Amino acid sequence: MSISTSDFDFVAELVQRKSAILLPKGKEYLVEARLDYLAKQKGLPSIAELVSRVRKQPYSELPDELVDALTTNETSFFRDLRPFEGLKEVIIPALMKARSVPRTLNIWCAACSSGQEPYSVLITLFENFPDLINWNINYFATDFSAEMVERTTNGIYADLEVKRGLSEELRTKYFNKVDAGWQAKPMLRNMLQIRRLNLIEPWTLPPIDLIMMRNVLIYFSNDIKKDILGRVRKTLTPDGYLMLGAAETTISIDNSYSVEDAGPARCYRPKTGGEAVSMPQAQKGL
Ligand SMILES: C[S@@+](CC[C@H](N)C(=O)[O-])C[C@H]1O[C@@H](n2cnc3c(N)ncnc32)[C@H](O)[C@@H]1O
């Protein structure tokens, strides 16, 4: 099924307005493949009919479902590995030292997709820092997509997904076999506060010590990246850490961050004397 130019323009504008994701000309093939699938799921005969319904029902769930269908949710356990080495070797030890009183750690995985990333971080914590069992860990995992939020909440992964990045040993230790594959054990799932959160809208979070915001800024314009990085900067504690995807950086976009090595990984931290605020009363929840 192909998409007309006017439908493509309408879809690209809708997706940009709702999620900030850019769909430049030339991406018609991607839009066609994904909307073809959605149209079939909805029992509709064509992409044109699907788009027509989205136009006619702007306040239904359909526009969000269409945007969802066009987001890229690619992820895997321990994706790129180096950030997790960085957490193990440098970032978590530094934060544990700095937060030894009151033994509280706030973590946010923004754009967590189907959850492999926050579960990988939790496994890294459990495997390497057993003392954290006595800490108060507030771990927020958020994504724009309702479907991804549901998947993260269920924590169920097919065999193929589990094989991407998870050793048999870790799988057996942290997951239970279920009909559809492997489900993260309650000890992991119960630690996550999972919510929908659109990064282009204001968010309410307590000051966060570690923000993982990987492989999402790449989809946005420089203006949107700058806006999000500015608000992330205000959410980070003054000595906190931001990790971005391998193809992402703050350099040339927001100079209020310093770039540091964390073992084999790269991280971004508020520059001293910058604007980061530490709220006296941590606000719980989103
Ligand atoms: C490629 S995945 C990255 C997943 C994970 N962070 C990783 O690196 O493996 C990008 C995720 O960003 C989410 N996303 C896209 N636009 C967003 C927005 N405006 N606000 C929040 N999340 C968004 C998508 O739903 C998708 O799950």
Side-chain angles (χ1 to χ4, degrees), residues 108-162:
W108 177 24
C109 185
C112 66
S113 189
S114 35
Q116 287 90 328
E117 184 173 35
Y119 288 123
S120 301
V121 171
L122 282 175
I123 291 171
T124 303
L125 300 186
F126 277 117
E127 284 292 293
N128 300 287
F129 305 98
D131 286 355
L132 284 176
I133 201 86
N134 299 316
W135 284 50
N136 177 27
I137 297 180
N138 299 303
Y139 196 149
F140 305 95
T142 67
D143 198 276
F144 167 84
S145 156
E147 190 188 335
M148 291 305 116
V149 163
E150 195 184 329
R151 285 214 56 201
T152 303
T153 306
N154 293 336
I156 297 176
Y157 302 98
D159 277 331
L160 269 180
E161 291 176 308
V162 166

Side-chain angles (χ1 to χ4, degrees), residues 18-21 68 71-76 79-80 109-114 117 142-145 148 197-200 212-216 218-220 228 245:
K18 280 191 167 274
S19 72
I21 294 171
D68 249 31
T71 56
T72 299
N73 304 120
E74 166 64 17
T75 190
S76 56
R79 182 177 186 179
D80 299 338
C109 185
C112 66
S113 189
S114 35
E117 184 173 35
T142 67
D143 198 276
F144 167 84
S145 156
M148 291 305 116
L197 186 150
N198 187 344
L199 290 168
I200 62 171
M212 311 283 285
M213 186 178 280
R214 302 194 307 141
N215 305 302
V216 64
I218 32 168
Y219 300 107
F220 303 148
I228 293 174

Side-chain angles (χ1 to χ4, degrees), residues 3-280:
I3 187 164
S4 70
T5 305
S6 72
D7 278 355
F8 178 81
D9 291 346
F10 169 80
V11 166
E13 192 277 327
L14 178 75
V15 170
Q16 186 170 355
R17 179 160 41 83
K18 280 191 167 274
S19 72
I21 294 171
L22 299 172
L23 284 174
K25 296 257 182 250
K27 292 273 183 184
E28 285 85 352
Y29 68 94
L30 179 131
V31 173
E32 282 166 3
R34 303 240 179 121
L35 294 193
D36 188 27
Y37 184 76
L38 182 61
K40 284 187 179 131
Q41 258 189 340
K42 298 266 161 208
L44 298 172
S46 64
I47 292 175
E49 181 58 32
L50 174 69
V51 175
S52 160
R53 291 203 183 192
V54 173
R55 287 180 196 266
K56 284 184 199 146
Q57 302 168 13
Y59 302 111
S60 70
E61 286 180 356
L62 207 49
D64 273 0
E65 288 182 74
L66 182 139
V67 178
D68 249 31
L70 290 166
T71 56
T72 299
N73 304 120
E74 166 64 17
T75 190
S76 56
F77 288 100
F78 295 96
R79 182 177 186 179
D80 299 338
L81 205 61
R82 281 193 286 192
F84 299 93
E85 294 294 324
L87 290 182
K88 185 169 94 180
E89 289 174 22
V90 178
I91 295 176
I92 300 299
L95 284 173
M96 284 179 74
K97 198 168 165 201
R99 304 286 182 275
S100 56
V101 180
R103 292 184 163 223
T104 294
L105 213 48
N106 290 346
I107 305 175
W108 177 24
C109 185
C112 66
S113 189
S114 35
Q116 287 90 328
E117 184 173 35
Y119 288 123
S120 301
V121 171
L122 282 175
I123 291 171
T124 303
L125 300 186
F126 277 117
E127 284 292 293
N128 300 287
F129 305 98
D131 286 355
L132 284 176
I133 201 86
N134 299 316
W135 284 50
N136 177 27
I137 297 180
N138 299 303
Y139 196 149
F140 305 95
T142 67
D143 198 276
F144 167 84
S145 156
E147 190 188 335
M148 291 305 116
V149 163
E150 195 184 329
R151 285 214 56 201
T152 303
T153 306
N154 293 336
I156 297 176
Y157 302 98
D159 277 331
L160 269 180
E161 291 176 308
V162 166
K163 279 189 184 129
R164 290 186 65 198
L166 206 58
S167 67
E168 246 180 75
E169 188 198 339
L170 292 180
R171 185 198 67 193
T172 310
K173 196 163 167 188
Y174 293 101
F175 290 77
N176 289 322
K177 186 81 190 91
V178 292
D179 285 349
W182 296 87
Q183 181 171 38
K185 288 189 176 173
M187 66 186 283
L188 294 186
R189 280 186 288 134
N190 292 343
M191 287 194 68
L192 294 181
Q193 301 184 43
I194 307 162
R195 306 273 191 285
R196 278 189 85 182
L197 186 150
N198 187 344
L199 290 168
I200 62 171
E201 292 171 359
W203 59 72
T204 309
L205 285 165
I208 303 281
D209 304 305
L210 167 65
I211 299 180
M212 311 283 285
M213 186 178 280
R214 302 194 307 141
N215 305 302
V216 64
L217 292 180
I218 32 168
Y219 300 107
F220 303 148
S221 70
N222 269 354
D223 284 348
I224 297 283
K225 285 180 194 166
K226 196 175 167 59
D227 170 60
I228 293 174
L229 284 172
R231 288 184 292 125
V232 162
R233 170 79 168 65
K234 291 183 176 136
T235 303
L236 272 176
T237 50
D239 58 349
Y241 294 83
L242 167 67
M243 300 196 101
L244 298 174
E248 298 162 331
T249 180
T250 60
I251 297 167
S252 305
I253 301 170
D254 185 333
N255 66 9
S256 64
Y257 289 89
S258 61
V259 186
E260 290 183 19
D261 287 335
R266 184 186 253 199
C267 65
Y268 303 87
R269 307 190 69 195
K271 275 186 185 161
T272 319
E275 291 173 344
V277 286
S278 175
M279 287 191 253

